[in-house]
C-alpha cells in the first residue's frame, strides 16, 4: 500500500515526535484521503488500524528513551512492555515483511536491555549532538569563501571550538 512503517524512521526528530504524538489524527486524515481516492471504507479502516497498532507503543518508547534521569524499575518495565508490544504489533501489522527494520530490532531488543543495564537510555541519545547542527551550519557559512581546504577546515574547527568554550 506504500504506507508501511519503514517510512517512519526517515522523519527527523521533532517531526517524528510530533507525528507519533498525533498519529491517530494524522492517520485518520490519511485514511480519509485514500478513501477519497477509491479505497473502500474497510480498506481505509484496516490501513489506519494496522499503523496505529504499531505506532501507539512508540509514544511510550520515545518518552522513556529520551528521559535523562534514572528510570524507576516500574518505568523500565513500562518501557520494556512497550518495546515488546511494538515488536508484536509490527509483525502482526506487516506480515508480508520478512525482517523487521534495524531500528525496529533495536527498539524491540536492545532498548530494554540498555535501560535495564544502565537505568536510562536518554543520556546515550543523539539530541545533544543534533543541537550542534545550527552552529555547524553557521560556521560553514562563515568559512565557505576560503579556497584552501586545510585552512577552511582549521578555521571551521577554531570557530566551533570558540563557540563551545564561550558562554552565550
Amino acid at each position: 500500500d506504500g504506507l508501511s512503517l519503514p517510512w517512519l524512521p526517515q522523519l527527523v526528530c521533532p517531526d517524528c515526535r510530533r507525528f507519533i504524538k498525533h498519529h491517530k489524527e494524522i492517520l485518520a486524515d490519511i485514511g480519509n484521503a485514500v478513501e477519497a481516492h477509491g479505497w473502500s471504507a474497510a480498506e481505509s479502516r484496516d490501513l489506519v488500524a494496522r499503523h496505529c497498532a504499531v505506532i501507539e507503543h512508540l509514544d511510550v518508547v520515545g518518552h522513556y528513551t529520551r528521559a535523562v534521569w534514572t528510570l524507576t524499575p516500574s518505568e523500565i518495565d513500562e518501557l520494556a512492555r512497550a518495546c515488546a508490544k511494538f515488536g508484536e504489533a509490527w509483525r502482526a501489522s506487516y506480515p508480508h515483511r520478512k525482517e523487521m527494520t534495524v531500528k525496529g530490532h533495536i527498539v524491540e531488543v536492545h532498548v530494554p536491555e540498555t535501560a535495564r543495564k544502565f537505568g536510562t537510555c536518554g543520556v546515550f541519545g543523539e539530541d545533544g549532538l543534533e543541537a550542534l547542527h545550527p552552529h555547524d551550519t553557521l560556521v560553514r557559512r562563515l568559512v565557505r569563501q576560503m579556497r584552501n581546504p586545510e585552512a577552511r577546515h582549521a578555521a571551521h574547527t577554531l570557530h566551533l571550538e570558540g563557540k563551545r568554550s564561550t558562554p552565550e
Side-chain angles (χ1 to χ4, degrees):
D1 58 24
L3 296 173
S4 296
L5 187 63
W7 55 267
L8 179 62
Q10 296 168 5
L11 295 171
V12 264
C13 265
D15 297 329
C16 189
R17 286 191 299 273
R18 197 172 306 113
F19 171 73
I20 290 171
K21 191 61 79 180
H22 302 287
H23 72 276
K24 290 178 183 172
E25 298 89 4
I26 294 168
L27 288 171
D29 288 345
I30 291 171
N32 292 335
V34 298
E35 210 171 310
H37 281 87
W39 288 34
S40 72
E43 289 172 318
S44 171
R45 279 192 307 273
D46 178 59
L47 173 89
V48 172
R50 283 187 305 120
H51 294 305
C52 281
V54 175
I55 296 168
E56 70 179 311
H57 305 294
L58 292 177
D59 194 19
V60 174
V61 172
H63 173 70
Y64 287 123
T65 56
R66 296 186 74 237
V68 293
W69 64 84
T70 301
L71 299 173
T72 65
S74 64
E75 289 172 330
I76 292 172
D77 289 343
E78 185 178 355
L79 172 61
R81 275 191 304 277
C83 291
K85 287 180 181 179
F86 161 78
E88 292 169 14
W90 195 93
R91 285 182 188 82
S93 294
Y94 313 115
H96 59 284
R97 304 269 316 189
K98 300 288 183 222
E99 301 278 332
M100 182 178 284
T101 65
V102 172
K103 289 182 180 181
H105 169 77
I106 289 169
V107 167
E108 183 181 29
V109 177
H110 300 290
V111 164
E113 289 174 353
T114 301
R116 290 192 195 290
K117 183 173 184 176
F118 297 106
T120 187
C121 292
V123 295
F124 303 113
E126 61 188 25
D127 289 354
L129 190 58
E130 291 292 329
L132 296 177
H133 279 298
H135 301 297
D136 186 66
T137 301
L138 173 67
V139 170
R140 284 185 192 283
R141 279 194 216 122
L142 289 173
V143 301
R144 70 180 166 202
Q145 76 282 359
M146 298 175 72
R147 293 188 186 274
N148 182 318
E150 288 90 4
R152 185 174 54 245
H153 177 70
H156 180 262
T157 302
L158 286 172
H159 276 290
L160 282 179
E161 185 61 28
K163 178 72 177 158
R164 187 182 69 78
S165 60
T166 306
E168 295 292 329

